């Protein structure tokens, strides 16, 4: 199975090399790497273009935000499976993509998700929050559950059938898409019980109070749009994050 990995970049020179090196280290080799760059003004493209291992396909043009860029990446992707590796994230270990593909082949599902660690910006080995997803149960979606989107790998045919990211959302388009695929359309999904992605803290949805409030408003819209009673789902969704700051990946 061919895997398309999409990275959206904009002035990402501080972290993009860590991202690329984690992809270079992968033992699975049937990978297509796509960079969607929103006209960076720093050295992002020079750093990416100098890579002699991955030979990424690079597309440079203005966009209206990260989800617009990711949608463009989906359009360009030729793989059977699509995943997103954000420009400040990295794979947790060299067999991550191999394990994802093996799980697809084992479960015969439309999507696979896994666990994720939030790590310190300055120390990638310092875990701030451990997101253990747990086995899939569709009923948990009514209680605000969702898998970490950077670990959510989906067959391209699902994007073609059920649509890409809704650009009316600036922060919660990933949550909306997961609800659309898993709740409304009931696609088959499998769980890989491993941390496959490390994410630096301080992303688009959790960087400050303003972003958190904006995300909360968008989460409510996403829940309503997908037919889930939002007061219960949103309350439990936010409360359920608290143990992630205390649980460690052993």
């Amino acid at each position: 199975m061919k895997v398309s990995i999409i990275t959206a970049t904009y002035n990402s020179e501080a972290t993009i090399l860590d991202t690329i090196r984690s992809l270079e280290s992968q033992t699975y080799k049937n990978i297509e790497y796509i960079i969607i760059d929103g006209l960076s003004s720093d050295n992002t493209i020079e750093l990416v273009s100098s890579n002699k291992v991955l030979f990424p396909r690079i597309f440079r043009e203005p966009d209206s935000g990260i989800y617009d860029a990711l949608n463009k990446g989906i359009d360009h992707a030729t793989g059977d499976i699509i995943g997103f590796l954000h420009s400040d994230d990295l794979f947790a270990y060299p067999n991550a993509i191999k394990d994802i593909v093996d799980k697809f082949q084992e479960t015969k599902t439309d999507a696979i998700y896994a666990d994720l660690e939030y790590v310190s910006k300055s120390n990638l080995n310092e875990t701030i929050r451990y997101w253990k997803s747990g086995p899939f149960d569709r009923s948990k979606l009514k209680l605000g559950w969702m898998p970490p989107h950077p670990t959510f790998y989906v067959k391209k045919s699902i994007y073609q059938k059920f649509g890409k990211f809704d650009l009316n959302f600036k922060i919660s388009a990933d949550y909306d898409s997961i609800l659309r695929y898993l709740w409304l359309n009931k696609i088959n999904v499998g769980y890989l019980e491993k941390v496959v992605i490390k994410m630096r803290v301080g992303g688009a949805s959790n960087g400050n109070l303003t972003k958190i409030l904006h995300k909360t408003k968008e989460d409510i819209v996403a829940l309503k749009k997908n037919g889930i009673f939002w007061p219960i789902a949103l309350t439990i969704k936010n409360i359920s994050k608290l143990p992630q700051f205390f649980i460690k990946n052993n």
Side-chain angles (χ1 to χ4, degrees):
M1 302 179 81
K2 183 178 182 181
V3 181
S4 296
I5 303 293
I6 299 166
T7 299
T9 58
Y10 181 72
N11 291 344
S12 305
E13 65 177 7
T15 58
I16 191 64
L17 283 180
D18 288 334
T19 302
I20 289 175
R21 286 166 183 159
S22 79
L23 185 52
E24 284 177 344
S25 73
Q26 293 301 299
T27 58
Y28 193 82
K29 298 306 179 185
N30 193 8
I31 296 173
E32 170 187 57
Y33 190 36
I34 297 172
I35 299 281
I36 306 294
D37 184 74
L39 300 180
S40 292
S41 58
D42 64 0
N43 292 318
T44 299
I45 292 303
E46 287 77 8
L47 292 171
V48 171
S49 300
S50 65
N51 185 278
K52 304 302 181 184
V53 177
L54 296 173
F55 299 105
R57 297 172 61 199
I58 302 171
F59 301 90
R60 297 196 70 200
E61 57 186 81
D63 58 58
S64 60
I66 186 169
Y67 295 114
D68 185 28
L70 297 181
N71 278 349
K72 292 176 181 180
I74 293 170
D75 290 338
H76 288 298
T78 62
D80 306 291
I81 300 166
I82 295 177
F84 305 107
L85 183 63
H86 299 311
S87 61
D88 51 1
D89 297 352
L90 60 155
F91 286 107
Y93 62 101
N95 280 337
I97 296 179
K98 177 183 182 300
D99 286 347
I100 291 169
V101 172
D102 287 348
K103 184 60 72 169
F104 266 103
Q105 294 173 334
E106 172 194 331
T107 60
K108 309 299 182 186
T109 52
D110 299 313
I112 295 293
Y113 67 91
D115 299 337
L116 176 146
E117 286 182 350
Y118 286 90
V119 297
S120 166
K121 284 186 177 182
S122 58
N123 181 1
L124 299 178
N125 294 314
E126 180 185 350
T127 301
I128 305 298
R129 174 180 160 199
Y130 173 42
W131 189 339
K132 185 171 181 62
S133 304
F136 180 69
D137 181 339
R138 187 170 175 268
S139 66
K140 293 193 296 187
L141 292 164
K142 294 190 296 182
L143 303 177
W145 177 90
M146 70 174 289
H149 190 257
T151 76
F152 192 63
Y153 280 63
V154 184
K155 289 182 177 177
K156 182 169 183 179
S157 59
I158 295 300
Y159 288 110
Q160 293 170 327
K161 186 174 182 180
F162 300 121
K164 298 173 291 185
F165 296 108
D166 182 343
L167 299 186
N168 290 309
F169 295 94
K170 300 303 180 185
I171 295 180
S172 297
D174 52 351
Y175 186 37
D176 168 69
S177 68
I178 284 174
L179 293 176
R180 190 186 333 136
Y181 305 145
L182 300 186
W183 178 255
L184 283 186
N185 294 292
K186 303 180 179 67
I187 71 169
N188 297 315
V189 61
Y191 171 45
L192 173 62
E193 193 175 357
K194 292 184 178 180
V195 173
V196 301
I197 295 291
K198 291 187 176 185
M199 171 185 282
R200 288 178 172 86
V201 294
S205 64
N206 56 17
N208 56 49
L209 181 58
T210 300
K211 290 180 179 179
I212 291 171
L213 292 174
H214 188 181
K215 176 171 174 54
T216 298
K217 291 179 181 178
E218 289 200 356
D219 283 352
I220 291 172
V221 175
L223 288 161
K224 287 182 176 179
K225 174 187 170 186
N226 290 284
I228 294 178
F229 185 62
W230 71 264
I232 292 176
L234 190 62
T235 300
I236 299 177
K237 181 175 186 283
N238 290 330
I239 292 174
S240 67
K241 294 178 182 179
L242 296 177
Q244 297 174 7
F245 290 92
F246 303 101
I247 299 172
K248 299 300 180 183
N249 180 24
N250 297 319

